[in-house]
Amino acid sequence: MKIRELVKSFEPYRVTEGGHPIRLDKNESPYDLPGWVKEEIFEELRELSFNRYPHITSMPMRKAIARFYGISPENVAVGNGGDELISYLVWLFEGDYIVTTPPSFGMYGFYAKLNEIPVVEVPLKEDFTIDGDAIAEKSKNARAVFIASPNNPTGNLQPEEEIIKVLDTGAVVVLDEAYAEFAGKSLWRLIEEYPNLIVLRTFSKAFSLAGVRTGYILANEEVVDALYRVKSPFSVGIMTMAAVKVVLRHYDLVERRVAKIIEERERIRKAFREFTYPSDANFLLMRLNAYEFLLEKGIVVRKLSGRLNGHIRVTVGRKWENRKLIEALREYLEVEGCG
Ligand SMILES: *Cc1c(COP(=O)(O)O)cnc(C)c1O
């Protein structure tokens, strides 16, 4: 038996010794759901049959999301995390390769590689915006073009006119809006105009449900239909459906938390304006080589490499966590002699 090695290595997760690290490395919400919301989810669950498989195409959950947007459930598909949906979208459409725009989300390339699909990279411009013309040039034989807006790890929204340039070629565009709630802007309504547009969203970030694992796409009925023909049938369980149904009822809570996170984001940015890029998401890209220093202080952030070598990506945390972060970074700048 020969087992092929598809993925070279997973970086082992490091935690600081003793005490609990402040985890600002995965862009999760720093706020868990309040107890009363969890109780509502448990109430919801009490009514469901644990011995039965969930609905095969997750209709109850798709209906809840469709109602939230005022669209048809035929335009919604749900997955076990946005990641599961990406794992299909890299190969669902005909073509020779996928297009990505590095530095961006790593999972597009990860799933392409897993499926032995070549990746054509059209790097972001100096200011981290996409080059619509360059992407359009490469899109003719592409299975799909993956664009994240706001982009991870750079944090910026992508210009609408550049996205439109790519959409106008007719190529399939997966517009990953995992952080749209923090940007206050989304292009999801363009799905009515562009059947080649797939908008990807997740409950992992603004909705505090990273541990539940669920995301969804908003797209043309044909795309949704094609996806359900190939999708792993029962990947979204009843616990997920119950949680989503309840959190959508409490969107006002999500909005209040998003506002708090944005306020904190701007507070951190102001403290290190010289080294920090503007962000439309719940994290900040900093031109500081402070990964090891922060780890020593019990603060875990994301260390970046390649074009972003010497940069860190810092998730906005709770107020006290951000205070610790700011203190630690001030100390880092003093030690480094540039503060
Ligand atoms: C977090 C994230 C996702 C989705 O994550 P899931 O937890 O799998 O839903 C998708 N795209 C980007 C850019 C992300 O940062």
PDB file of all heavy atoms in Angstrom, residues 240-273:
ATOM      1  N   THR A 240     -26.008  21.909  14.462  1.00  0.00           N
ATOM      2  CA  THR A 240     -25.644  23.083  13.680  1.00  0.00           C
ATOM      3  C   THR A 240     -26.899  23.839  13.258  1.00  0.00           C
ATOM      4  O   THR A 240     -26.985  25.060  13.391  1.00  0.00           O
ATOM      5  CB  THR A 240     -24.869  22.641  12.417  1.00  0.00           C
ATOM      6  OG1 THR A 240     -23.735  21.911  12.844  1.00  0.00           O
ATOM      7  CG2 THR A 240     -24.459  23.815  11.579  1.00  0.00           C
ATOM      8  N   MET A 241     -27.871  23.084  12.751  1.00  0.00           N
ATOM      9  CA  MET A 241     -29.091  23.736  12.268  1.00  0.00           C
ATOM     10  C   MET A 241     -29.805  24.469  13.394  1.00  0.00           C
ATOM     11  O   MET A 241     -30.303  25.579  13.208  1.00  0.00           O
ATOM     12  CB  MET A 241     -30.017  22.697  11.635  1.00  0.00           C
ATOM     13  CG  MET A 241     -29.385  22.073  10.403  1.00  0.00           C
ATOM     14  SD  MET A 241     -30.599  21.399   9.272  1.00  0.00           S
ATOM     15  CE  MET A 241     -29.711  19.966   8.673  1.00  0.00           C
ATOM     16  N   ALA A 242     -29.820  23.856  14.586  1.00  0.00           N
ATOM     17  CA  ALA A 242     -30.472  24.499  15.730  1.00  0.00           C
ATOM     18  C   ALA A 242     -29.731  25.782  16.101  1.00  0.00           C
ATOM     19  O   ALA A 242     -30.357  26.827  16.340  1.00  0.00           O
ATOM     20  CB  ALA A 242     -30.515  23.534  16.909  1.00  0.00           C
ATOM     21  N   ALA A 243     -28.409  25.707  16.125  1.00  0.00           N
ATOM     22  CA  ALA A 243     -27.610  26.879  16.517  1.00  0.00           C
ATOM     23  C   ALA A 243     -27.819  28.035  15.539  1.00  0.00           C
ATOM     24  O   ALA A 243     -28.007  29.183  15.952  1.00  0.00           O
ATOM     25  CB  ALA A 243     -26.135  26.498  16.589  1.00  0.00           C
ATOM     26  N   VAL A 244     -27.822  27.730  14.253  1.00  0.00           N
ATOM     27  CA  VAL A 244     -27.967  28.779  13.243  1.00  0.00           C
ATOM     28  C   VAL A 244     -29.350  29.421  13.320  1.00  0.00           C
ATOM     29  O   VAL A 244     -29.493  30.647  13.271  1.00  0.00           O
ATOM     30  CB  VAL A 244     -27.694  28.208  11.830  1.00  0.00           C
ATOM     31  CG1 VAL A 244     -28.180  29.155  10.751  1.00  0.00           C
ATOM     32  CG2 VAL A 244     -26.203  27.931  11.664  1.00  0.00           C
ATOM     33  N   LYS A 245     -30.372  28.579  13.459  1.00  0.00           N
ATOM     34  CA  LYS A 245     -31.734  29.089  13.554  1.00  0.00           C
ATOM     35  C   LYS A 245     -31.832  30.111  14.702  1.00  0.00           C
ATOM     36  O   LYS A 245     -32.428  31.180  14.548  1.00  0.00           O
ATOM     37  CB  LYS A 245     -32.675  27.907  13.810  1.00  0.00           C
ATOM     38  CG  LYS A 245     -34.109  28.180  13.491  1.00  0.00           C
ATOM     39  CD  LYS A 245     -34.929  26.912  13.532  1.00  0.00           C
ATOM     40  CE  LYS A 245     -36.390  27.270  13.787  1.00  0.00           C
ATOM     41  NZ  LYS A 245     -37.194  26.090  14.130  1.00  0.00           N
ATOM     42  N   VAL A 246     -31.226  29.788  15.828  1.00  0.00           N
ATOM     43  CA  VAL A 246     -31.312  30.669  16.992  1.00  0.00           C
ATOM     44  C   VAL A 246     -30.461  31.934  16.817  1.00  0.00           C
ATOM     45  O   VAL A 246     -30.940  33.035  17.089  1.00  0.00           O
ATOM     46  CB  VAL A 246     -30.931  29.913  18.290  1.00  0.00           C
ATOM     47  CG1 VAL A 246     -30.809  30.883  19.463  1.00  0.00           C
ATOM     48  CG2 VAL A 246     -31.966  28.826  18.582  1.00  0.00           C
ATOM     49  N   VAL A 247     -29.222  31.810  16.354  1.00  0.00           N
ATOM     50  CA  VAL A 247     -28.396  33.034  16.250  1.00  0.00           C
ATOM     51  C   VAL A 247     -28.965  34.025  15.240  1.00  0.00           C
ATOM     52  O   VAL A 247     -28.838  35.235  15.420  1.00  0.00           O
ATOM     53  CB  VAL A 247     -26.894  32.780  15.931  1.00  0.00           C
ATOM     54  CG1 VAL A 247     -26.200  32.061  17.063  1.00  0.00           C
ATOM     55  CG2 VAL A 247     -26.703  32.079  14.614  1.00  0.00           C
ATOM     56  N   LEU A 248     -29.617  33.511  14.210  1.00  0.00           N
ATOM     57  CA  LEU A 248     -30.219  34.434  13.236  1.00  0.00           C
ATOM     58  C   LEU A 248     -31.363  35.238  13.860  1.00  0.00           C
ATOM     59  O   LEU A 248     -31.643  36.354  13.439  1.00  0.00           O
ATOM     60  CB  LEU A 248     -30.711  33.673  12.001  1.00  0.00           C
ATOM     61  CG  LEU A 248     -29.622  33.185  11.035  1.00  0.00           C
ATOM     62  CD1 LEU A 248     -30.238  32.362   9.909  1.00  0.00           C
ATOM     63  CD2 LEU A 248     -28.819  34.346  10.469  1.00  0.00           C
ATOM     64  N   ARG A 249     -32.000  34.651  14.870  1.00  0.00           N
ATOM     65  CA  ARG A 249     -33.060  35.376  15.596  1.00  0.00           C
ATOM     66  C   ARG A 249     -32.463  36.524  16.401  1.00  0.00           C
ATOM     67  O   ARG A 249     -33.183  37.436  16.803  1.00  0.00           O
ATOM     68  CB  ARG A 249     -33.752  34.413  16.577  1.00  0.00           C
ATOM     69  CG  ARG A 249     -34.772  33.513  15.981  1.00  0.00           C
ATOM     70  CD  ARG A 249     -35.831  33.130  17.028  1.00  0.00           C
ATOM     71  NE  ARG A 249     -35.337  32.336  18.140  1.00  0.00           N
ATOM     72  CZ  ARG A 249     -35.516  31.015  18.272  1.00  0.00           C
ATOM     73  NH1 ARG A 249     -36.142  30.327  17.348  1.00  0.00           N
ATOM     74  NH2 ARG A 249     -35.081  30.378  19.333  1.00  0.00           N
ATOM     75  N   HIS A 250     -31.174  36.432  16.713  1.00  0.00           N
ATOM     76  CA  HIS A 250     -30.551  37.438  17.584  1.00  0.00           C
ATOM     77  C   HIS A 250     -29.471  38.225  16.865  1.00  0.00           C
ATOM     78  O   HIS A 250     -28.397  38.461  17.400  1.00  0.00           O
ATOM     79  CB  HIS A 250     -29.994  36.754  18.842  1.00  0.00           C
ATOM     80  CG  HIS A 250     -31.053  36.068  19.628  1.00  0.00           C
ATOM     81  ND1 HIS A 250     -32.082  36.744  20.220  1.00  0.00           N
ATOM     82  CD2 HIS A 250     -31.281  34.756  19.867  1.00  0.00           C
ATOM     83  CE1 HIS A 250     -32.899  35.877  20.808  1.00  0.00           C
ATOM     84  NE2 HIS A 250     -32.439  34.662  20.605  1.00  0.00           N
ATOM     85  N   TYR A 251     -29.779  38.624  15.657  1.00  0.00           N
ATOM     86  CA  TYR A 251     -28.798  39.353  14.862  1.00  0.00           C
ATOM     87  C   TYR A 251     -28.430  40.690  15.512  1.00  0.00           C
ATOM     88  O   TYR A 251     -27.316  41.189  15.335  1.00  0.00           O
ATOM     89  CB  TYR A 251     -29.317  39.575  13.430  1.00  0.00           C
ATOM     90  CG  TYR A 251     -28.264  40.128  12.522  1.00  0.00           C
ATOM     91  CD1 TYR A 251     -27.099  39.409  12.273  1.00  0.00           C
ATOM     92  CD2 TYR A 251     -28.407  41.385  11.942  1.00  0.00           C
ATOM     93  CE1 TYR A 251     -26.104  39.924  11.459  1.00  0.00           C
ATOM     94  CE2 TYR A 251     -27.419  41.907  11.124  1.00  0.00           C
ATOM     95  CZ  TYR A 251     -26.275  41.167  10.889  1.00  0.00           C
ATOM     96  OH  TYR A 251     -25.287  41.673  10.083  1.00  0.00           O
ATOM     97  N   ASP A 252     -29.359  41.247  16.288  1.00  0.00           N
ATOM     98  CA  ASP A 252     -29.064  42.513  16.980  1.00  0.00           C
ATOM     99  C   ASP A 252     -27.864  42.346  17.913  1.00  0.00           C
ATOM    100  O   ASP A 252     -27.021  43.239  18.041  1.00  0.00           O
ATOM    101  CB  ASP A 252     -30.293  43.007  17.758  1.00  0.00           C
ATOM    102  CG  ASP A 252     -30.818  41.970  18.735  1.00  0.00           C
ATOM    103  OD1 ASP A 252     -30.825  40.764  18.387  1.00  0.00           O
ATOM    104  OD2 ASP A 252     -31.195  42.336  19.858  1.00  0.00           O
ATOM    105  N   LEU A 253     -27.758  41.172  18.542  1.00  0.00           N
ATOM    106  CA  LEU A 253     -26.625  40.882  19.416  1.00  0.00           C
ATOM    107  C   LEU A 253     -25.328  40.837  18.602  1.00  0.00           C
ATOM    108  O   LEU A 253     -24.299  41.403  18.990  1.00  0.00           O
ATOM    109  CB  LEU A 253     -26.849  39.532  20.119  1.00  0.00           C
ATOM    110  CG  LEU A 253     -25.720  39.011  21.002  1.00  0.00           C
ATOM    111  CD1 LEU A 253     -25.613  39.838  22.265  1.00  0.00           C
ATOM    112  CD2 LEU A 253     -25.941  37.534  21.352  1.00  0.00           C
ATOM    113  N   VAL A 254     -25.405  40.183  17.450  1.00  0.00           N
ATOM    114  CA  VAL A 254     -24.245  40.094  16.558  1.00  0.00           C
ATOM    115  C   VAL A 254     -23.803  41.504  16.162  1.00  0.00           C
ATOM    116  O   VAL A 254     -22.619  41.847  16.217  1.00  0.00           O
ATOM    117  CB  VAL A 254     -24.582  39.257  15.299  1.00  0.00           C
ATOM    118  CG1 VAL A 254     -23.438  39.290  14.293  1.00  0.00           C
ATOM    119  CG2 VAL A 254     -24.923  37.816  15.690  1.00  0.00           C
ATOM    120  N   GLU A 255     -24.771  42.332  15.805  1.00  0.00           N
ATOM    121  CA  GLU A 255     -24.452  43.707  15.379  1.00  0.00           C
ATOM    122  C   GLU A 255     -23.774  44.515  16.484  1.00  0.00           C
ATOM    123  O   GLU A 255     -22.829  45.250  16.231  1.00  0.00           O
ATOM    124  CB  GLU A 255     -25.728  44.430  14.943  1.00  0.00           C
ATOM    125  CG  GLU A 255     -26.228  43.979  13.584  1.00  0.00           C
ATOM    126  CD  GLU A 255     -27.476  44.742  13.180  1.00  0.00           C
ATOM    127  OE1 GLU A 255     -28.444  44.785  13.968  1.00  0.00           O
ATOM    128  OE2 GLU A 255     -27.494  45.295  12.053  1.00  0.00           O
ATOM    129  N   ARG A 256     -24.267  44.342  17.714  1.00  0.00           N
ATOM    130  CA  ARG A 256     -23.652  45.075  18.833  1.00  0.00           C
ATOM    131  C   ARG A 256     -22.210  44.632  19.042  1.00  0.00           C
ATOM    132  O   ARG A 256     -21.321  45.436  19.308  1.00  0.00           O
ATOM    133  CB  ARG A 256     -24.461  44.846  20.120  1.00  0.00           C
ATOM    134  CG  ARG A 256     -25.739  45.658  20.171  1.00  0.00           C
ATOM    135  CD  ARG A 256     -26.255  45.796  21.601  1.00  0.00           C
ATOM    136  NE  ARG A 256     -26.559  44.515  22.235  1.00  0.00           N
ATOM    137  CZ  ARG A 256     -27.694  43.832  22.076  1.00  0.00           C
ATOM    138  NH1 ARG A 256     -28.640  44.306  21.298  1.00  0.00           N
ATOM    139  NH2 ARG A 256     -27.901  42.681  22.698  1.00  0.00           N
ATOM    140  N   ARG A 257     -21.986  43.335  18.903  1.00  0.00           N
ATOM    141  CA  ARG A 257     -20.631  42.812  19.088  1.00  0.00           C
ATOM    142  C   ARG A 257     -19.705  43.244  17.956  1.00  0.00           C
ATOM    143  O   ARG A 257     -18.541  43.567  18.196  1.00  0.00           O
ATOM    144  CB  ARG A 257     -20.689  41.286  19.171  1.00  0.00           C
ATOM    145  CG  ARG A 257     -21.336  40.867  20.475  1.00  0.00           C
ATOM    146  CD  ARG A 257     -21.610  39.403  20.527  1.00  0.00           C
ATOM    147  NE  ARG A 257     -21.687  38.964  21.903  1.00  0.00           N
ATOM    148  CZ  ARG A 257     -21.648  37.696  22.270  1.00  0.00           C
ATOM    149  NH1 ARG A 257     -21.539  36.754  21.359  1.00  0.00           N
ATOM    150  NH2 ARG A 257     -21.715  37.367  23.531  1.00  0.00           N
ATOM    151  N   VAL A 258     -20.229  43.262  16.759  1.00  0.00           N
ATOM    152  CA  VAL A 258     -19.442  43.722  15.613  1.00  0.00           C
ATOM    153  C   VAL A 258     -19.017  45.175  15.844  1.00  0.00           C
ATOM    154  O   VAL A 258     -17.853  45.537  15.631  1.00  0.00           O
ATOM    155  CB  VAL A 258     -20.243  43.573  14.291  1.00  0.00           C
ATOM    156  CG1 VAL A 258     -19.616  44.389  13.172  1.00  0.00           C
ATOM    157  CG2 VAL A 258     -20.335  42.105  13.890  1.00  0.00           C
ATOM    158  N   ALA A 259     -19.941  45.993  16.331  1.00  0.00           N
ATOM    159  CA  ALA A 259     -19.633  47.406  16.590  1.00  0.00           C
ATOM    160  C   ALA A 259     -18.515  47.531  17.621  1.00  0.00           C
ATOM    161  O   ALA A 259     -17.597  48.356  17.476  1.00  0.00           O
ATOM    162  CB  ALA A 259     -20.887  48.137  17.065  1.00  0.00           C
ATOM    163  N   LYS A 260     -18.579  46.694  18.654  1.00  0.00           N
ATOM    164  CA  LYS A 260     -17.542  46.721  19.695  1.00  0.00           C
ATOM    165  C   LYS A 260     -16.182  46.332  19.125  1.00  0.00           C
ATOM    166  O   LYS A 260     -15.163  46.950  19.426  1.00  0.00           O
ATOM    167  CB  LYS A 260     -17.924  45.724  20.803  1.00  0.00           C
ATOM    168  CG  LYS A 260     -18.183  46.386  22.150  1.00  0.00           C
ATOM    169  CD  LYS A 260     -18.246  45.357  23.250  1.00  0.00           C
ATOM    170  CE  LYS A 260     -19.690  45.058  23.622  1.00  0.00           C
ATOM    171  NZ  LYS A 260     -19.840  44.087  24.717  1.00  0.00           N
ATOM    172  N   ILE A 261     -16.193  45.296  18.303  1.00  0.00           N
ATOM    173  CA  ILE A 261     -14.942  44.804  17.710  1.00  0.00           C
ATOM    174  C   ILE A 261     -14.328  45.869  16.792  1.00  0.00           C
ATOM    175  O   ILE A 261     -13.121  46.098  16.812  1.00  0.00           O
ATOM    176  CB  ILE A 261     -15.178  43.462  16.974  1.00  0.00           C
ATOM    177  CG1 ILE A 261     -15.443  42.355  18.008  1.00  0.00           C
ATOM    178  CG2 ILE A 261     -13.986  43.091  16.085  1.00  0.00           C
ATOM    179  CD1 ILE A 261     -15.976  41.050  17.436  1.00  0.00           C
ATOM    180  N   ILE A 262     -15.181  46.549  16.033  1.00  0.00           N
ATOM    181  CA  ILE A 262     -14.687  47.608  15.143  1.00  0.00           C
ATOM    182  C   ILE A 262     -14.059  48.741  15.967  1.00  0.00           C
ATOM    183  O   ILE A 262     -12.989  49.257  15.638  1.00  0.00           O
ATOM    184  CB  ILE A 262     -15.821  48.144  14.242  1.00  0.00           C
ATOM    185  CG1 ILE A 262     -16.231  47.062  13.231  1.00  0.00           C
ATOM    186  CG2 ILE A 262     -15.400  49.432  13.529  1.00  0.00           C
ATOM    187  CD1 ILE A 262     -17.455  47.398  12.402  1.00  0.00           C
ATOM    188  N   GLU A 263     -14.723  49.094  17.067  1.00  0.00           N
ATOM    189  CA  GLU A 263     -14.214  50.153  17.934  1.00  0.00           C
ATOM    190  C   GLU A 263     -12.833  49.761  18.486  1.00  0.00           C
ATOM    191  O   GLU A 263     -11.892  50.575  18.474  1.00  0.00           O
ATOM    192  CB  GLU A 263     -15.217  50.344  19.086  1.00  0.00           C
ATOM    193  CG  GLU A 263     -15.033  51.592  19.882  1.00  0.00           C
ATOM    194  CD  GLU A 263     -16.015  51.634  21.055  1.00  0.00           C
ATOM    195  OE1 GLU A 263     -17.218  51.348  20.848  1.00  0.00           O
ATOM    196  OE2 GLU A 263     -15.567  51.923  22.179  1.00  0.00           O
ATOM    197  N   GLU A 264     -12.713  48.530  18.925  1.00  0.00           N
ATOM    198  CA  GLU A 264     -11.433  48.032  19.446  1.00  0.00           C
ATOM    199  C   GLU A 264     -10.370  47.971  18.349  1.00  0.00           C
ATOM    200  O   GLU A 264      -9.201  48.272  18.579  1.00  0.00           O
ATOM    201  CB  GLU A 264     -11.627  46.640  20.062  1.00  0.00           C
ATOM    202  CG  GLU A 264     -12.312  46.664  21.409  1.00  0.00           C
ATOM    203  CD  GLU A 264     -11.428  47.330  22.471  1.00  0.00           C
ATOM    204  OE1 GLU A 264     -10.407  46.748  22.852  1.00  0.00           O
ATOM    205  OE2 GLU A 264     -11.773  48.453  22.893  1.00  0.00           O
ATOM    206  N   ARG A 265     -10.798  47.543  17.173  1.00  0.00           N
ATOM    207  CA  ARG A 265      -9.876  47.461  16.028  1.00  0.00           C
ATOM    208  C   ARG A 265      -9.241  48.827  15.772  1.00  0.00           C
ATOM    209  O   ARG A 265      -8.022  48.940  15.614  1.00  0.00           O
ATOM    210  CB  ARG A 265     -10.663  47.007  14.788  1.00  0.00           C
ATOM    211  CG  ARG A 265      -9.837  46.947  13.507  1.00  0.00           C
ATOM    212  CD  ARG A 265     -10.715  46.618  12.325  1.00  0.00           C
ATOM    213  NE  ARG A 265     -11.450  47.793  11.854  1.00  0.00           N
ATOM    214  CZ  ARG A 265     -12.550  47.741  11.092  1.00  0.00           C
ATOM    215  NH1 ARG A 265     -13.057  46.573  10.716  1.00  0.00           N
ATOM    216  NH2 ARG A 265     -13.154  48.841  10.706  1.00  0.00           N
ATOM    217  N   GLU A 266     -10.065  49.855  15.771  1.00  0.00           N
ATOM    218  CA  GLU A 266      -9.560  51.196  15.491  1.00  0.00           C
ATOM    219  C   GLU A 266      -8.683  51.717  16.626  1.00  0.00           C
ATOM    220  O   GLU A 266      -7.734  52.468  16.407  1.00  0.00           O
ATOM    221  CB  GLU A 266     -10.714  52.149  15.190  1.00  0.00           C
ATOM    222  CG  GLU A 266     -11.471  51.781  13.907  1.00  0.00           C
ATOM    223  CD  GLU A 266     -10.561  51.535  12.703  1.00  0.00           C
ATOM    224  OE1 GLU A 266      -9.660  52.360  12.448  1.00  0.00           O
ATOM    225  OE2 GLU A 266     -10.721  50.494  12.030  1.00  0.00           O
ATOM    226  N   ARG A 267      -9.002  51.278  17.856  1.00  0.00           N
ATOM    227  CA  ARG A 267      -8.179  51.687  18.999  1.00  0.00           C
ATOM    228  C   ARG A 267      -6.768  51.098  18.876  1.00  0.00           C
ATOM    229  O   ARG A 267      -5.776  51.795  19.076  1.00  0.00           O
ATOM    230  CB  ARG A 267      -8.844  51.184  20.291  1.00  0.00           C
ATOM    231  CG  ARG A 267      -8.233  51.724  21.554  1.00  0.00           C
ATOM    232  CD  ARG A 267      -9.151  51.453  22.733  1.00  0.00           C
ATOM    233  NE  ARG A 267      -9.164  50.047  23.142  1.00  0.00           N
ATOM    234  CZ  ARG A 267      -8.322  49.526  24.030  1.00  0.00           C
ATOM    235  NH1 ARG A 267      -7.399  50.277  24.581  1.00  0.00           N
ATOM    236  NH2 ARG A 267      -8.398  48.253  24.363  1.00  0.00           N
ATOM    237  N   ILE A 268      -6.684  49.832  18.512  1.00  0.00           N
ATOM    238  CA  ILE A 268      -5.370  49.193  18.352  1.00  0.00           C
ATOM    239  C   ILE A 268      -4.626  49.856  17.193  1.00  0.00           C
ATOM    240  O   ILE A 268      -3.448  50.168  17.283  1.00  0.00           O
ATOM    241  CB  ILE A 268      -5.509  47.669  18.078  1.00  0.00           C
ATOM    242  CG1 ILE A 268      -6.247  46.975  19.223  1.00  0.00           C
ATOM    243  CG2 ILE A 268      -4.125  47.035  17.868  1.00  0.00           C
ATOM    244  CD1 ILE A 268      -6.652  45.545  18.908  1.00  0.00           C
ATOM    245  N   ARG A 269      -5.347  50.102  16.116  1.00  0.00           N
ATOM    246  CA  ARG A 269      -4.709  50.667  14.930  1.00  0.00           C
ATOM    247  C   ARG A 269      -4.114  52.037  15.231  1.00  0.00           C
ATOM    248  O   ARG A 269      -2.995  52.354  14.827  1.00  0.00           O
ATOM    249  CB  ARG A 269      -5.718  50.762  13.785  1.00  0.00           C
ATOM    250  CG  ARG A 269      -5.153  51.469  12.598  1.00  0.00           C
ATOM    251  CD  ARG A 269      -5.720  51.051  11.278  1.00  0.00           C
ATOM    252  NE  ARG A 269      -4.950  51.724  10.249  1.00  0.00           N
ATOM    253  CZ  ARG A 269      -5.368  52.790   9.585  1.00  0.00           C
ATOM    254  NH1 ARG A 269      -6.579  53.273   9.786  1.00  0.00           N
ATOM    255  NH2 ARG A 269      -4.594  53.358   8.696  1.00  0.00           N
ATOM    256  N   LYS A 270      -4.876  52.835  15.985  1.00  0.00           N
ATOM    257  CA  LYS A 270      -4.422  54.179  16.317  1.00  0.00           C
ATOM    258  C   LYS A 270      -3.123  54.138  17.123  1.00  0.00           C
ATOM    259  O   LYS A 270      -2.243  54.966  16.929  1.00  0.00           O
ATOM    260  CB  LYS A 270      -5.515  54.905  17.116  1.00  0.00           C
ATOM    261  CG  LYS A 270      -5.764  56.313  16.639  1.00  0.00           C
ATOM    262  CD  LYS A 270      -7.060  56.879  17.172  1.00  0.00           C
ATOM    263  CE  LYS A 270      -6.836  57.731  18.414  1.00  0.00           C
ATOM    264  NZ  LYS A 270      -8.114  58.107  19.050  1.00  0.00           N
ATOM    265  N   ALA A 271      -3.014  53.137  17.991  1.00  0.00           N
ATOM    266  CA  ALA A 271      -1.827  53.025  18.844  1.00  0.00           C
ATOM    267  C   ALA A 271      -0.568  52.686  18.038  1.00  0.00           C
ATOM    268  O   ALA A 271       0.542  52.984  18.461  1.00  0.00           O
ATOM    269  CB  ALA A 271      -2.075  51.990  19.935  1.00  0.00           C
ATOM    270  N   PHE A 272      -0.760  52.039  16.890  1.00  0.00           N
ATOM    271  CA  PHE A 272       0.408  51.613  16.094  1.00  0.00           C
ATOM    272  C   PHE A 272       0.245  51.980  14.621  1.00  0.00           C
ATOM    273  O   PHE A 272       0.552  51.192  13.732  1.00  0.00           O
ATOM    274  CB  PHE A 272       0.621  50.098  16.250  1.00  0.00           C
ATOM    275  CG  PHE A 272       0.751  49.671  17.680  1.00  0.00           C
ATOM    276  CD1 PHE A 272      -0.334  49.116  18.347  1.00  0.00           C
ATOM    277  CD2 PHE A 272       1.941  49.869  18.366  1.00  0.00           C
ATOM    278  CE1 PHE A 272      -0.220  48.761  19.681  1.00  0.00           C
ATOM    279  CE2 PHE A 272       2.055  49.514  19.697  1.00  0.00           C
ATOM    280  CZ  PHE A 272       0.966  48.956  20.362  1.00  0.00           C
ATOM    281  N   ARG A 273      -0.292  53.157  14.385  1.00  0.00           N
ATOM    282  CA  ARG A 273      -0.679  53.562  13.038  1.00  0.00           C
ATOM    283  C   ARG A 273       0.441  53.370  12.001  1.00  0.00           C
ATOM    284  O   ARG A 273       0.207  52.929  10.889  1.00  0.00           O
ATOM    285  CB  ARG A 273      -1.126  55.023  13.058  1.00  0.00           C
ATOM    286  CG  ARG A 273      -1.890  55.453  11.833  1.00  0.00           C
ATOM    287  CD  ARG A 273      -2.501  56.828  12.035  1.00  0.00           C
ATOM    288  NE  ARG A 273      -3.819  56.770  12.640  1.00  0.00           N
ATOM    289  CZ  ARG A 273      -4.939  56.438  11.982  1.00  0.00           C
ATOM    290  NH1 ARG A 273      -4.874  56.100  10.718  1.00  0.00           N
ATOM    291  NH2 ARG A 273      -6.095  56.425  12.587  1.00  0.00           N
TER     292      ARG A 273
END
